Amino acid sequence: MSENAANNNNNIMEKNQAICKEAIVSELQKKKVHLFYCLECEELARNIASESNHITLQSINWRSFADGFPNLFINNAHEIRGQHVAFLASFSSPAVIFEQISVIYLLPRLFVASFTLVLPFFPTGSFERMEEEGDVATAFTMARIVSNIPISRGGPTSVVIYDIHALQERFYFADQVLPLFETGIPLLTKRLQQLPETEKVIVAFPDDGAWKRFHKLLDQYPTVVCTKVREGDKRIVRLKEGNPAGCHVVIVDDLVQSGGTLIECQKVLAAHGAAKVSAYVTHGVFPKSSWERFTHKNNGSEEAFAYFWITDSCPQTVKSIGNKAPFEVLSLAGSIADALQI
């Protein structure tokens, strides 16, 4: 072997050793997090823990007294002293909020090193403003409840929320907590790259609000914007700008409730020549099983939506939908695992 070749091999070995050393140091610097969770979020919690060797699942006994009020017990309370602790919450209904808040308010007081609340879906986010005197902006109320989480030994609580309805809601939270607003859009872009004929994919926004919220995160795709106009007592969806003809159009929004707007938007896009229409929402709320109106009921027949992507931010919806087409669940587990290391 020549002297130059030997030197090159030595340089390569040194670079590889440096990379390995850097990776080892990075792993050693990661926090070990003890993750508690509500019953609804058990599957998501297990998926989060599977993403990292630094996350350990902990348990809570969720019981009730005869009168229906919570009878709760946090297991291993002494063992989490001085440790980094997180709680994975799901405020899916008013009925489950009180018991979870009771736990959330206690965990930081157990002498933990830091406390993080992971609330993937902020449920009152779309009720963020008053249109007339007397309206109750419950987004502000929920933010105040969360803002009153006690300070831990490590300082204010970190609150991780995905695709909150309006970014200005960050100002609803008081200084006692540190809101971290994440997004599920990277999961969508990764999935879109796996589709055939990706060059024909364009993104549609059902209204100006969705465009303002997401267009900068999806600027690599051509866009179409719809809008709602009032005709008499009805609000009609119209195409505002863009050309969907011949394209696979993906409607993007933060959440879906009944799905009426998405359906009307799909009809408008199809009428303007869209080859296929799909949808993505971070939060599939779907009250009263409204997701059923989107399922492919007739095998082999042409359906309105080719794909309907949601995340697992609403666990009850994920459990109900299962693997029913056109739905696909894009898990937040990896993203949450990363957020717990911030």
Side-chain angles (χ1 to χ4, degrees), residues 29 51 66 78 81 101 104 106 123 155-156 171 206 220 227 229 238 245 256 273 286 290 309 315 331:
Q29 289 176 341
E51 293 284 338
H78 287 283
R81 289 179 177 178
I101 285 293
I104 291 165
L106 179 58
F171 303 111
Q220 67 270 45
T227 188
V229 296
R238 295 278 186 258
V256 58
F286 289 122
S290 56
W309 294 290
S331 182

Side-chain angles (χ1 to χ4, degrees), residues 96-290:
V96 300
I97 293 177
F98 178 70
E99 63 181 12
Q100 293 182 61
I101 285 293
S102 299
V103 171
I104 291 165
Y105 277 21
L106 179 58
L107 284 171
R109 300 175 69 91
L110 295 178
F111 295 93
V112 300
S114 70
F115 181 63
T116 300
L117 170 63
V118 181
L119 182 62
F121 174 46
F122 189 74
T124 57
S126 56
F127 307 101
E128 84 284 8
R129 61 183 181 272
M130 295 174 59
E131 294 185 354
E132 62 177 309
E133 195 66 33
D135 282 342
V136 179
T138 52
F140 181 67
T141 308
M142 184 66 72
R144 291 185 71 181
I145 291 172
V146 172
S147 295
N148 278 289
I149 298 172
I151 294 175
S152 70
R153 291 178 67 185
T157 293
S158 299
V159 182
V160 181
I161 298 173
Y162 281 81
D163 290 319
I164 199 165
H165 185 66
L167 283 177
Q168 64 265 28
E169 290 178 51
R170 70 173 63 236
F171 303 111
Y172 291 3
F173 295 87
D175 291 341
Q176 293 96 311
V177 297
L178 300 173
L180 174 63
F181 296 111
E182 295 283 6
T183 179
I185 293 299
L187 300 175
L188 171 63
T189 55
K190 181 178 179 180
R191 182 66 182 91
L192 293 181
Q193 290 166 6
Q194 298 168 351
L195 295 177
E197 298 183 314
T198 55
E199 72 280 359
K200 291 187 177 181
V201 172
I202 68 172
V203 171
F205 301 105
D207 52 39
D208 288 331
W211 179 84
K212 290 176 183 177
R213 184 71 181 79
F214 293 117
H215 80 278
K216 290 184 178 179
L217 301 175
L218 293 161
D219 59 1
Q220 67 270 45
Y221 295 100
T223 58
V224 168
V225 181
C226 296
T227 188
K228 296 175 185 176
V229 296
R230 186 172 295 280
E231 291 187 1
D233 295 333
K234 296 181 179 180
R235 297 189 72 185
I236 309 298
V237 176
R238 295 278 186 258
L239 186 66
K240 180 181 178 181
E241 60 183 73
N243 180 17
C247 296
H248 180 182
V249 186
V250 181
I251 306 170
V252 174
D253 210 349
D254 62 322
L255 62 84
V256 58
Q257 297 268 0
S258 68
T261 298
L262 290 179
I263 289 173
E264 292 305 311
C265 193
Q266 183 276 331
K267 291 178 180 178
V268 169
L269 294 168
H272 283 79
K276 286 193 293 188
V277 178
S278 296
Y280 166 86
V281 296
T282 302
H283 311 297
V285 185
F286 289 122
K288 299 179 180 179
S289 299
S290 56

